[in-house]
């Protein structure tokens, strides 16, 4: 007999299997009764949304119960795929994500919509009592991130940012090495990501496909006529919806820096770059200099002139008093006194390894302990990306008050910290 609904929800809210702050072991998860599975819905089931669906459907203590997309074709394809992953299960499909938030039997959502919807959907989910696994970037602008954190704290919800690389052993080990003082106090960090936006040249306004709710796809963004290049996979190269390659990859590589050394006291931001070719208007390339209280951090769109960078398309290079450490998602090299090694075995493992990024979110929901990429951490780590784009747009160096989270003496720059949503879609 299926357990009463209130018993399952009480279990989800109050389970203390994460005792002493430890995450739930996968072996324990597999023993959970079907009636006590976390009931998850996925909002936005295009490219990354389908990954969300597959990841969570593969977890023993999760049941995927609903999918949502404003494109009927995406939704139909994903429902078909899910049927093969969860044969015989009852799964509802929706065009409007608010129908999912209205359902009291759904415990958590994942959000893989275009970037300009991330924060508002997450805030509304918090208000509806749902926990959220949200894709990066966290928010469209600085104000959205601030409001999102307030809502999460007010409604006491769990959040995980979709920085899957955070769960890797490599990132854990880099953090252990840096925090153990292997290269001494870090004074400079260089981050980079190669590659630029595609050359989008199609400017012809097309009829809106009958299967697509274009008005809802735009949501809080300004209304424009339908041009295919502005929708779906290439939306991120338009400033109304995202921030290009920079916004796409910043959090993946800045994550290891914020985890390892927790930069504080940001003072100034100075960006340079060019706008993309064609109709896109995000950066073709962007270099940003950040000055923190005790640290200088540099972002470039080409590898910096340091050993080992040229062979990595994305990376972080830590410069310390005793040596250097370079890493990407999967590799690392530590150089001290001219000798380069991949590890220092004498430095112990002090960080508990992740059971998997999605499993960690599920465990956090059940234990009510913060997730690995929790919202307070994710917001602080995401903030410099927004500021770098503002400096790039204004083409000048900007002074920042980290305590007030405002630019100093610059009304034009402060005006870009937020955007007023279209009235119809100002929901949160």
């Amino acid at each position: 007999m299926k357990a009463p609904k209130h018993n399952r929800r009480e279990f989800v809210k109050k389970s203390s299997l994460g005792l002493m702050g430890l995450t739930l072991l996968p072996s324990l998860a597999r023993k959970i009764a079907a009636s006590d599975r976390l009931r998850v819905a996925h909002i936005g089931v295009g490219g990354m949304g389908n990954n969300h669906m597959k990841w969570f459907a593969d977890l023993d203590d999760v049941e995927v119960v609903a999918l949502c997309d404003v494109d009927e074709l995406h939704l139909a394809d994903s429902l078909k795929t899910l049927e093969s992953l969860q044969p015989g299960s009852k799964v509802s499909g929706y065009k409007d994500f608010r129908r999912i938030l209205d359902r009291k039997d759904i415990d958590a959502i994942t959000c893989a919509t275009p970037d300009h919807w991330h924060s508002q959907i997450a805030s509304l989910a918090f208000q509806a009592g749902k926990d959220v696994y949200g894709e990066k970037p966290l928010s469209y602008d600085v104000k959205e991130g601030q409001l999102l954190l307030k809502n999460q704290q007010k409604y006491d919800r769990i959040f995980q940012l979709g920085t899957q690389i955070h769960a890797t052993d490599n990132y854990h080990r880099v953090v252990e090495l840096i925090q153990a003082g292997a290269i001494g106090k870090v004074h400079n960090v260089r981050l980079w990501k190669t590659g630029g936006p595609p050359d989008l040249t199609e400017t012809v306004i097309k009829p809106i496909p009958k299967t697509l709710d274009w008005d809802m796809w735009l949501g809080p963004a300004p209304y424009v006529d339908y041009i295919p290049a502005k929708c779906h996979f290439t939306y991120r190269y338009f400033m109304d919806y995202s921030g290009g390659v920079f916004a796409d990859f910043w959090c993946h590589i800045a994550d290891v820096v914020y985890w390892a050394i927790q930069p504080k006291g940001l003072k100034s931001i100075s960006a340079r770059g060019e706008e993309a070719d064609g109709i896109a208007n995000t950066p073709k390339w962007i270099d940003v200099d950040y000055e923190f209280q005790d640290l200088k951090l540099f972002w470039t769109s080409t590898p910096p002139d340091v050993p080992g960078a040229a062979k990595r398309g994305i990376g972080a290079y830590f410069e310390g008093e005793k040596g250097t450490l370079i890493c990407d998602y999967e590799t690392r090299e530590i150089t001290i006194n001219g000798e380069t090694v991949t590890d220092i075995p004498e430095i112990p493992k002090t960080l508990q390894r992740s059971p998997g990024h999605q499993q960690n979110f599920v465990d956090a929901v059940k234990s009510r302990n913060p997730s690995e990429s929790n919202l307070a951490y994710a917001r602080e780590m995401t903030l410099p990306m927004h500021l770098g784009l503002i400096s790039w747009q204004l083409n000048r160096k900007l002074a920042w008050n980290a305590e007030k989270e405002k630019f100093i003496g610059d009304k034009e720059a402060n005006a870009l910290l937020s955007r007023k949503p279209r009235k119809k879609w100002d929901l949160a």
Side-chain angles (χ1 to χ4, degrees):
M1 174 182 285
K2 186 173 181 179
K5 186 184 299 182
H6 65 83
N7 286 349
R8 178 187 56 77
R9 295 190 62 82
E10 183 177 355
F11 171 83
V12 168
K13 292 179 180 179
K14 297 182 179 180
S15 172
S16 58
L17 288 173
L19 186 63
M20 301 289 289
L22 300 178
T23 52
L24 182 67
L25 295 175
S27 59
L28 293 177
R30 286 193 291 271
K31 296 178 182 178
I32 294 173
S35 58
D36 287 327
R37 289 176 181 165
L38 193 73
R39 291 170 63 84
V40 174
H42 301 291
I43 298 173
V45 287
M48 184 54 72
N50 270 285
N51 287 334
H52 283 194
M53 181 182 71
K54 293 171 184 176
W55 289 332
F56 280 89
D58 194 45
L59 300 180
D60 293 305
D61 46 351
V62 168
E63 180 184 2
V64 177
V65 297
L67 304 180
C68 175
D69 203 286
V70 296
D71 189 319
E72 294 175 10
L73 297 179
H74 284 182
L75 182 59
D77 286 346
S78 296
L79 285 168
K80 184 176 180 181
T81 299
L82 186 58
E83 170 60 27
S84 67
L85 300 174
Q86 293 184 175
S89 63
K90 183 179 180 181
V91 179
S92 302
Y94 302 93
K95 181 179 74 174
D96 189 331
F97 70 89
R98 289 171 291 188
R99 303 291 77 82
I100 282 178
L101 301 187
D102 287 342
R103 284 181 53 172
K104 302 301 182 184
D105 64 324
I106 291 176
D107 303 303
I109 65 131
T110 78
C111 178
T113 64
D115 302 359
H116 64 289
W117 263 116
H118 287 178
S119 180
Q120 189 165 191
I121 288 176
S123 282
L124 291 167
F126 294 155
Q127 293 171 28
K130 318 295 185 198
D131 298 309
V132 178
Y133 182 103
E135 261 310 313
K136 50 78 191 170
L138 177 70
S139 56
Y140 173 78
D141 58 35
V142 172
K143 183 179 179 182
E144 279 193 351
Q146 294 169 338
L147 293 175
L148 184 59
L149 182 60
K150 287 182 180 179
N151 274 297
Q152 187 230 4
Q153 293 171 341
K154 178 179 179 180
Y155 295 98
D156 192 22
R157 295 292 92 201
I158 297 296
F159 180 89
Q160 177 92 299
L161 185 67
T163 46
Q164 293 81 23
I165 299 134
H166 189 97
T168 63
D169 181 77
N170 186 54
Y171 268 24
H172 282 72
R173 191 58 181 155
V174 168
V175 172
E176 288 170 338
L177 292 166
I178 294 291
Q179 292 185 348
I183 64 171
K185 181 177 175 58
V186 175
H187 49 81
N188 282 352
V189 176
R190 301 180 186 278
L191 303 176
W192 68 96
K193 171 67 179 78
T194 61
D199 188 4
L200 302 174
T201 58
E202 179 60 66
T203 61
V204 177
I205 296 172
K206 298 282 184 72
I208 300 170
K210 294 181 180 180
T211 57
L212 174 68
D213 188 335
W214 176 239
D215 183 56
M216 192 170 190
W217 187 97
L218 289 169
Y223 188 87
V224 294
D225 291 322
Y226 176 73
I227 295 175
K230 292 188 175 183
C231 189
H232 292 336
F233 303 107
T234 49
Y235 74 85
R236 71 174 65 259
Y237 306 110
F238 297 88
M239 290 296 293
D240 277 346
Y241 321 121
S242 185
V245 173
F246 179 52
D248 193 16
F249 285 93
W250 164 271
C251 70
H252 281 313
I253 197 66
D255 182 23
V256 74
V257 179
Y258 270 77
W259 192 4
I261 61 178
Q262 302 164 10
K264 300 293 183 184
L266 181 60
K267 297 178 180 179
S268 66
I269 308 98
S270 180
R272 307 158 299 286
E274 292 181 68
E275 190 173 284
D277 297 327
I279 64 172
N281 62 356
T282 56
K284 180 178 182 179
W285 63 270
I286 182 171
D287 294 349
V288 192
D289 303 340
Y290 297 95
E291 184 180 359
F292 291 84
Q293 185 174 330
D294 297 310
L295 175 76
K296 291 185 178 179
L297 188 151
F298 308 95
W299 172 280
T300 52
S301 295
T302 56
D305 186 17
V306 298
K311 65 182 180 181
R312 292 174 166 89
I314 190 169
Y317 184 81
F318 297 83
E319 300 175 30
E321 294 172 337
K322 299 178 183 178
T324 63
L325 186 152
I326 189 170
C327 70
D328 54 20
Y329 295 163
E330 299 176 348
T331 68
R332 61 185 179 272
E333 295 173 358
I334 308 102
T335 302
I336 302 172
N337 296 327
E339 181 182 0
T340 299
V341 296
T342 58
D343 199 7
I344 304 175
E346 294 77 14
I347 293 178
K349 291 185 176 181
T350 55
L351 298 173
Q352 182 179 344
R353 283 354 188 213
S354 173
H357 205 58
Q358 297 76 35
Q359 185 66 60
N360 172 255
F361 169 70
V362 173
D363 297 347
V365 169
K366 293 177 177 179
S367 69
R368 308 317 291 174
N369 292 321
S371 64
E372 295 169 347
S373 295
N374 62 79
L375 184 49
Y377 169 81
R379 193 192 75 86
E380 186 174 358
M381 182 262 291
T382 302
L383 181 63
M385 179 273 288
H386 292 306
L387 307 185
L389 284 172
I390 292 173
S391 177
W392 173 76
Q393 287 175 283
L394 298 177
N395 193 31
R396 64 172 182 266
K397 184 176 182 178
L398 302 172
W400 180 250
N401 184 319
E403 183 177 347
K404 295 182 179 179
E405 296 195 349
K406 294 284 187 181
F407 292 108
I408 299 172
D410 197 324
K411 291 183 178 180
E412 186 178 17
N414 281 324
L416 295 176
L417 294 173
S418 64
R419 173 179 71 179
K420 187 173 180 59
R422 280 197 294 153
K423 186 175 182 180
K424 178 181 178 180
W425 297 106
D426 187 5
L427 306 176

